[in-house]
């Protein structure tokens, strides 16, 4: 096999990062004026755009209304040009539905839904280069904050893998495609509570602790970055509005 | 056909150019506001493990023992006496459902609407059947908030001649937090147009009624004024300035040297809003 080493002897990965290093993250809030909340995030080459509408009155079937809580609706859609090979169906296929359900589960845990009748969150992925779930969750967190919807805490997500006895944080597409175990973790940093944990591969339970810890640490690092972005945004808006 | 192309350019954030900082205490969700249990918790906070934690990103406001966090941008929260501009979404049995950019649709009861001719009587079954003749889905109305229900829904009324269905004009939707609370929200600007600043963020610009020569003529004559006003309002909102009659008027006057379509270009927008800010500061100080 033309050995594509995921982890070199000196401890460097394919893109030159160390085992626990994250890819470069850049984020912006308030990209769309017409939506209630919106955010754009770039994690390495993965770019995700999230848009939030709500809370608003339930459209369509009023029977779905919950009398005491809001209804969170997530839709994941990835552009046809987002992966290496052009995708035929941007949304409605199995993977998108599953991703939408996972996002919904994550955000129902974080948003204080008792305060409103209904919210709707739509998430859109522009380019997928590994770690799409994590980028989506991070973008959605920023968008929900931008919309002013009350949340318990940030929701920060990161993926992790396991190669040659070392846990790697924030996998890129190359590392995901190599076929090793991958874990996606969504965390509420202040309390350390896990909103969602997903893994679909075989991993020996002795290693689970380490991989989980690597993902949690990476999610906390993401939180530091997102926190800075939000504070900057709030500060700027506050200055413009005046005292 | 003339085409214009623009390349992306990194612009310095406006807050740097203003050169001032904010004295407010800014928080993000998950931040502990205080561990003192003597405070009452207001909007935007929740209690977790003996601590008061913020749930939205915004500034902390303290009124005696009440702490609340005011978010940067929220949907409209109704208060009695507010003027709102809304769009009819549904015609139900004895009421209309009005969309007012709030968490739940607002309600306009049939009994809260004046009958033609100003008669005062109980609404009958014929009135119910004739509801669609008054207001249909898609119509725009101006109304005042009569009451707020326990779940936050708002009840409107149009029991005055100045409220009711809106005719020809332009609607601009902005965030409710940018509309300044004033004594009156109906303004006749000297440039020939009138504006209704709805507290819910819906702003209606229309030609001032006296200037109308005939039904259709008035609108066409003032179209430029109205378009310019709309672009000015959008530029004020993009630069996060509070909207009230004086700021809109100053912005309109500052934009006169430019063409209407140029007002929305980022550099010109900044220039116009800067000038407006300065004039407002001079006027205050």
């Amino acid at each position: 096999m033309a050995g594509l080493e995921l982890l070199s002897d000196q401890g460097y990965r394919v893109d030159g990062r160390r085992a626990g290093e994250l890819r470069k993250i850049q984020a912006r809030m308030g990209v769309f004026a017409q939506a209630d909340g919106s955010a754009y995030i770039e994690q390495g080459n993965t770019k995700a755009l999230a848009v939030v509408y709500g809370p608003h009155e339930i459209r369509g079937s009023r029977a779905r209304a919950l009398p005491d809580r809001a209804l969170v609706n997530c839709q994941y859609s990835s552009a046809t040009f987002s992966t290496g090979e052009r995708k035929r169906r941007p949304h409605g296929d199995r993977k998108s539905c599953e991703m939408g359900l996972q996002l919904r589960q994550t955000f129902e845990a974080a948003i204080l839904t008792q305060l409103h009748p209904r919210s709707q969150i739509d998430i859109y992925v522009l380019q997928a280069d590994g770690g799409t779930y994590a980028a989506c969750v991070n973008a959605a967190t920023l968008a929900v904050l931008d919309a002013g919807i009350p949340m318990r805490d940030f929701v920060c997500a990161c993926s992790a893998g396991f190669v040659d006895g070392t846990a790697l944080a924030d996998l890129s597409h190359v590392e995901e495609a190599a076929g090793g175990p991958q874990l996606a973790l969504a965390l509420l940093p202040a309390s350390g509570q896990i909103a969602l944990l997903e893994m679909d591969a075989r991993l020996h339970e002795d290693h689970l602790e380490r991989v989980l810890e690597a993902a949690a640490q990476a999610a906390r690092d993401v939180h530091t970055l997102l926190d800075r972005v939000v504070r900057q945004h709030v500060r700027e808006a506050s200055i413009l509005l005046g005292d | 056909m003339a085409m214009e192309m623009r390349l992306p350019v990194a612009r310095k954030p406006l807050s740097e150019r203003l050169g001032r900082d904010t004295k407010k205490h800014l928080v993000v969700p998950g931040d502990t506001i205080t561990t003192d249990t003597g405070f009452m918790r207001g909007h935007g906070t929740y209690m977790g493990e003996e601590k008061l934690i913020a749930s939205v990103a915004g500034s902390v406001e303290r009124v005696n023992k009440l702490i609340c966090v005011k978010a940067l941008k929220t949907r409209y929260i109704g208060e009695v006496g507010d003027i709102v501009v809304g769009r009819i979404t549904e015609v139900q049995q004895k009421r209309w459902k009005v969309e007012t950019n709030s968490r739940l649709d607002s309600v306009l009861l049939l009994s809260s609407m004046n009958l033609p001719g100003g008669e005062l009587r109980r609404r009958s079954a014929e009135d119910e059947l004739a509801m669609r003749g008054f207001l249909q889905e898609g119509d725009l109305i101006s109304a005042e908030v009569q009451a707020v229900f326990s779940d936050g829904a708002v009840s409107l009324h149009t029991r005055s001649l100045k409220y009711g269905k809106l005719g020809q004009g332009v609607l601009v939707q902005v965030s409710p937090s940018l509309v300044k609370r004033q004594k009156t929200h109906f303004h006749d600007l000297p440039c020939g147009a009138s504006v209704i600043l709805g507290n819910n963020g819906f702003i209606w610009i229309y030609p001032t009624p006296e200037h109308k020569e005939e039904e259709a003529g008035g609108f066409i004559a003032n179209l430029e004024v109205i378009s310019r006003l709309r672009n000015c309002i959008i530029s004020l909102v993009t630069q996060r300035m509070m909207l009230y009659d004086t700021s809109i008027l100053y912005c309109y006057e500052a934009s006169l040297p430019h063409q209407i379509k140029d007002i929305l270009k980022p550099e010109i927008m900044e220039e116009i809003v800067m000038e407006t800010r300065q004039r407002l500061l001079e006027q205050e100080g």
Side-chain angles (χ1 to χ4, degrees):
Chain A
M1 184 168 79
L4 183 64
E5 283 190 317
L6 288 180
L7 193 65
S8 77
D9 303 320
Q10 290 89 14
Y12 290 110
R13 289 150 77 170
V14 182
D15 48 9
R17 288 184 284 154
R18 287 265 174 209
E21 250 183 79
L22 294 174
R23 292 176 287 180
K24 180 168 181 190
I25 296 183
Q26 289 181 305
R28 254 180 58 183
M29 290 168 68
V31 270
F32 285 133
Q34 55 265 49
D36 289 328
S38 54
Y40 172 70
I41 197 169
E42 279 185 27
Q43 245 176 286
N45 278 332
T46 302
K47 302 171 172 72
L49 191 65
V51 163
V52 176
Y53 289 95
H56 59 74
E57 180 88 32
I58 297 188
R59 310 258 177 245
S61 55
R62 199 149 295 160
R64 291 169 62 193
L66 296 165
D68 57 339
R69 311 189 277 123
L71 202 63
V72 177
N73 200 13
C74 287
Q75 196 191 342
Y76 167 90
S77 185
S78 70
T80 50
F81 47 82
S82 61
T83 48
E85 266 188 33
R86 193 182 172 86
K87 266 182 56 153
R88 206 76 71 73
R89 285 186 71 185
H91 50 78
D93 62 325
R94 204 173 289 264
K95 180 166 169 271
S96 306
C97 287
E98 191 196 341
M99 191 76 106
L101 280 173
Q102 284 179 351
L103 288 165
R104 181 177 161 186
Q105 191 185 344
T106 313
F107 280 95
E108 274 192 345
I111 296 178
L112 297 169
T113 48
Q114 303 90 326
L115 300 172
H116 321 287
R118 183 178 175 164
S119 295
Q120 185 160 320
I121 305 182
D122 290 317
I123 304 183
Y124 195 77
V125 172
L126 283 184
Q127 179 186 356
D129 183 44
T132 44
Y133 172 73
C136 289
V137 168
N138 295 334
T141 299
L142 290 179
V144 171
L145 280 180
D146 190 38
I149 298 177
M151 285 221 289
R152 201 161 285 131
D153 193 0
F154 276 76
V155 186
C156 299
C158 200
S159 55
F162 193 74
V163 167
D164 291 343
T166 323
L168 303 177
D170 197 10
L171 303 173
S172 65
H173 182 70
V174 173
E175 290 161 342
E176 275 183 7
Q182 310 161 28
L183 186 103
L185 175 75
L187 194 71
L188 273 69
S191 47
Q193 292 174 340
I194 296 180
L196 187 117
L197 176 62
E198 191 225 1
M199 185 173 78
D200 48 6
R202 290 173 63 157
L203 180 69
H204 198 285
E205 69 173 296
D206 292 345
H207 305 310
L208 183 62
E209 192 66 46
R210 266 192 292 168
V211 178
L212 204 54
E213 184 47 45
Q217 182 54 40
R220 281 188 283 264
D221 292 336
V222 170
H223 169 70
T224 319
L225 274 151
L226 294 184
D227 188 87
R228 201 190 313 155
V229 167
V230 178
R231 277 187 211 275
Q232 179 60 31
H233 178 85
V234 174
R235 198 174 140 262
E236 199 170 305
S238 199
I239 292 177
L240 286 177
L241 262 178
D243 292 318
Chain B
M1 185 179 79
M3 263 211 323
E4 199 182 297
M5 290 178 67
R6 300 169 64 85
L7 292 175
V9 115
R11 255 186 304 277
K12 257 174 59 165
L14 192 59
S15 51
E16 278 179 37
R17 295 220 274 149
L18 287 176
R20 60 180 185 216
D21 205 350
T22 179
K23 297 184 233 38
K24 297 189 218 170
H25 178 200
L26 302 171
V27 289
V28 296
D31 271 1
T32 309
I33 304 174
T34 178
T35 42
D36 189 350
T37 46
F39 288 106
M40 286 197 293
R41 56 171 205 84
H43 291 300
T45 62
Y46 70 98
M47 203 60 144
E49 310 158 16
E50 308 267 327
K51 295 185 289 188
L52 200 61
I53 305 179
S55 61
V56 285
S59 54
V60 178
E61 294 188 349
R62 227 197 82 184
V63 180
N64 295 336
K65 284 278 185 184
L66 179 71
I67 290 192
C68 55
V69 182
K70 185 163 168 252
L72 277 187
K73 215 200 292 186
T74 43
R75 289 231 151 194
Y76 170 62
I77 299 173
E79 277 176 46
V80 180
D82 282 352
I83 314 277
V84 295
V85 171
R87 202 180 277 276
I88 309 285
T89 49
E90 261 187 74
V91 181
Q92 291 185 345
Q93 223 176 351
K94 273 203 184 76
R95 57 193 194 171
W96 288 275
K97 282 283 197 166
V98 184
E99 187 224 323
T100 52
N101 196 24
S102 47
R103 290 192 216 122
L104 286 172
D105 280 347
S106 308
V107 154
L108 175 63
L109 296 170
L110 177 58
S111 47
S112 309
M113 172 160 257
N114 280 341
L115 286 169
E119 11 171 357
L120 298 169
R121 60 173 167 78
R122 223 167 135 188
R123 308 293 186 267
S124 62
E126 285 103 42
D127 289 321
E128 273 185 57
L129 294 171
M131 271 176 84
R132 193 158 259 137
F134 296 145
L135 292 174
Q136 277 202 327
E137 288 91 341
D139 285 343
L140 276 173
I141 56 160
S142 67
E144 191 180 323
V145 175
Q146 185 176 44
V148 179
F149 297 124
S150 53
D151 57 359
V154 146
S155 177
L156 304 171
H157 77 86
T158 54
R159 285 188 163 284
S160 171
L161 287 174
K162 53 182 182 167
Y163 307 128
K165 188 150 85 163
L166 298 172
Q168 287 197 328
V170 168
L171 182 73
V172 183
Q173 294 178 325
V174 310
S175 169
S177 49
L178 291 173
V179 179
K180 187 167 172 173
R181 263 178 209 280
Q182 290 185 284
K183 274 178 73 172
T184 169
H185 288 258
F186 292 78
H187 302 285
D188 285 335
L189 300 174
C191 43
S194 297
V195 79
I196 304 181
L197 296 168
N199 284 93
N200 60 333
F202 282 15
I203 299 181
W204 178 251
I205 313 169
Y206 60 107
T208 310
E210 300 91 54
H211 289 221
K212 246 195 318 200
E213 288 106 43
E214 359 139 340
E215 277 297 312
F219 191 71
I220 296 171
N222 278 330
L223 199 51
E224 286 209 7
V225 171
I226 293 182
S227 313
R228 192 175 276 277
L229 270 176
R230 179 209 174 252
N231 282 359
C232 285
I233 291 180
I234 289 188
S235 52
L236 283 172
V237 163
T238 319
Q239 306 285 319
R240 301 215 126 232
M241 275 204 68
M242 292 295 274
L243 289 172
Y244 51 107
D245 55 346
T246 322
S247 70
I248 297 178
L249 192 60
Y250 285 178
C251 191
Y252 177 82
E253 286 167 9
S255 73
L256 284 172
H258 304 277
Q259 282 203 315
I260 301 178
K261 58 184 161 81
D262 290 339
I263 300 176
L264 293 178
K265 289 190 192 151
E267 324 79 58
I268 300 187
M269 198 190 283
E270 274 179 24
E271 190 191 310
I272 294 176
V273 178
M274 256 316 196
E275 202 183 310
T276 314
R277 254 185 230 277
Q278 268 177 320
R279 258 184 92 180
L280 285 169
L281 277 173
E282 280 167 37
Q283 191 218 22
E284 281 168 32

